[in-house]
Structures are given as structure tokens and as C-alpha cells.
Amino acid sequence: MTKPIYILNGPNLNLLGLRQPEIYGSETLDDVAEACAALAEDLGLVIRFHQSNHEGALIDWIHEARGQGAGIIINPAAFTHTSVAILDALNAFEGPVLEVHISNVHKREAFRHHSYVSLRAEGVIAGFGTEGYLLALRRIKTLVAA
Ligand code: DQA
């Protein structure tokens, strides 16, 4: 059976489409999940799409992906800039990890320029809007196949 790709989303991304649409756009997280599911089917990938406002829940999904998951695409949201715990969890995962940010974090406040997760990620996509998730899915297919 094909191992799933985990697509994990951090705090406040449940408000996508509602919060700061000038930065994050008008699509909701459900729209993103649907677009990911449709592309995954085309690519022959299976996905598990999750969001939580709680660091521990994200860590539990990363642990679940150990052994069971082929790869992880993660938008850790604000935890990107603060969470050594998420970095440690990702370091315990064997497969490829891709980091996605909807906005171009490098064009924003200085505190968003540092990412703990980037120390582990094979690649980072930032500033491509929600399309970044779809680009990451295409890339992780290549990485998983390699
Ligand atoms: C974000 C960027 C983070 O700095 C911010 O805290 C978010 C979303 C993005 O997708 O652009 O919540 O990860």
C-alpha cells in the first residue's frame, strides 16, 4: 500500500480566507485541502491533511508519520519561528520534509526570517500563495521516488 504524505498546518491556518486576506488570500483551508486531494489523486499520492492550533498535536502527527508516512509537507505557521520541539520531531522522521509558507516571510517582519524547521527541510516554498502546497506535492513525489 502507498504510504501517505502528511500535510500539516499550524496555528491560525484554520482562519485562512478570513484573517489578513491581503497577506494570505481568500481561499479557505478546506479549499487548500480539496486542491491537494485532487492533485494527489492525479499524482498517485495519498495524503493526510491536518491542522491544529496546538504544538503537541502537530508533534503527535509527525510521530505518527514515522514509519507510516512517505513524506511531510508542513506549514508550521508561527511555530516556524519558535519551535525547537517541532524541529526535534521532524529530525526523528526518516523521509523528506518540505516547508511551505503562503506569504513571503522574507518580505515581512525580521522575526519571520528565521525558521527552525528550515534546519531540517529539504526545501522551502514561500510567497507562492496557497499554490505553494501544490508545488510542494509535486516536489515531494520526486523526492519520495528517489
Ligand atoms: C505563515 C507565515 C508565518 O510567519 C505566520 O506566522 C503564519 C503563516 C505563512 O504561511 O505565510 O501563520 O506560515
Side-chain angles (χ1 to χ4, degrees):
M1 208 192 84
T2 320
K3 283 185 176 180
I5 305 296
Y6 282 68
I7 305 180
L8 304 179
N9 293 279
N12 301 305
L13 288 168
N14 54 312
L15 295 181
L16 198 64
L18 299 174
R19 77 156 172 158
Q20 297 182 281
E22 68 287 359
I23 295 178
Y24 298 114
S26 56
E27 267 193 308
T28 66
L29 198 63
D30 282 348
D31 295 333
V32 176
E34 270 177 38
C36 285
L39 178 63
E41 201 178 327
D42 286 355
L43 296 175
L45 298 172
V46 174
I47 61 168
R48 301 262 185 279
F49 194 99
H50 297 296
Q51 186 275 333
S52 179
N53 294 324
H54 304 278
E55 195 174 15
L58 294 162
I59 291 167
D60 288 345
W61 284 317
I62 296 167
H63 291 178
E64 185 185 294
R66 270 167 54 82
Q68 288 188 43
I72 296 176
I73 294 169
I74 185 165
N75 182 349
F79 292 144
T80 308
H81 320 297
T82 62
S83 182
V84 175
I86 288 177
L87 170 63
D88 284 351
L90 290 169
N91 279 333
F93 175 72
E94 317 78 10
V97 173
L98 296 179
E99 178 181 348
V100 171
H101 299 286
I102 297 164
S103 65
N104 180 0
V105 283
H106 300 290
K107 205 180 167 191
R108 301 180 64 193
E109 302 97 320
F111 66 82
R112 296 185 202 276
H113 298 176
H114 177 263
S115 164
Y116 285 100
V117 170
S118 292
L119 290 167
R120 168 63 179 86
E122 269 69 34
V124 182
I125 294 172
F128 286 74
T130 53
E131 206 182 332
Y133 287 85
L134 304 179
L135 297 170
L137 262 177
R138 291 185 188 281
R139 177 63 184 156
I140 214 156
K141 179 175 171 155
T142 306
L143 293 174
V144 163

